Amino acid sequence: MEKHLAVTGYLVCNIEDDYKVLLHKHKKLGYWLGIGGHVERNENPIEALRRECLEEIGVEIALIGQRNDLFKSSYAWELPPPINILEEKVPSYVKKKKHIHIDLSYGVTTRSPDKIKMEEEWRWIGEFDLNNPDLLAEVVIICKQAIDIYKNYA
């Protein structure tokens, strides 16, 4: 089965004194997910994540919980590591065949949560609302990980 490199940002903010994660209902798949998409040719995962967030929600993001000692030289540099890497089965929809996503999940935040605009249905999910049967188990786990990272970051 064909495999695609994808990236997802789990955007965490402190809203009304509660740690919340932004999720959107994927219009083709019907799942509540973080913000992201395919890594395009000629971009690395971080560039793809920044592009996807700007395109999908209209705000710039910052990675959270990243090390300050990433390696860098004139010929090679270390990219920030994701929270985790998932291999996900993506069902066929519209004109897309079944395929696999190699999905790099990152914790992110923004300084402009009030400026988020999105065409798809979206909502902030509070830390204590994550035990929702509408959410995929892996989404709940990654949301909790992102919130924990944000708490140590903020």
Side-chain angles (χ1 to χ4, degrees), residues 7-8 45-46 66 79-85 103-107 149:
V7 64
T8 303
I46 305 306
Q66 296 298 319
L79 295 174
I83 293 172
N84 59 38
I85 302 171
D103 192 359
L104 289 74
S105 303
Y106 287 89
I149 292 167

Side-chain angles (χ1 to χ4, degrees), residues 70-136:
L70 297 176
F71 173 80
K72 186 173 185 176
S73 74
S74 60
Y75 59 88
W77 47 96
E78 183 180 6
L79 295 174
I83 293 172
N84 59 38
I85 302 171
L86 297 177
E87 189 162 329
E88 307 160 327
K89 292 180 185 177
V90 180
S92 59
Y93 59 91
V94 190
K95 296 178 183 178
K96 300 246 183 190
K97 293 184 202 175
K98 284 193 289 188
H99 59 283
I100 301 285
H101 275 180
I102 307 301
D103 192 359
L104 289 74
S105 303
Y106 287 89
V108 299
T109 192
T110 184
R111 292 184 180 168
S112 309
D114 54 323
K115 294 187 175 156
I116 290 172
K117 292 184 177 142
M118 189 170 204
E119 291 178 18
E120 296 178 359
E121 182 181 354
W122 63 277
R123 63 181 161 181
W124 290 104
I125 305 288
E127 181 176 17
F128 301 106
D129 299 324
L130 287 169
N131 295 328
N132 183 325
D134 291 340
L135 301 178
L136 297 170

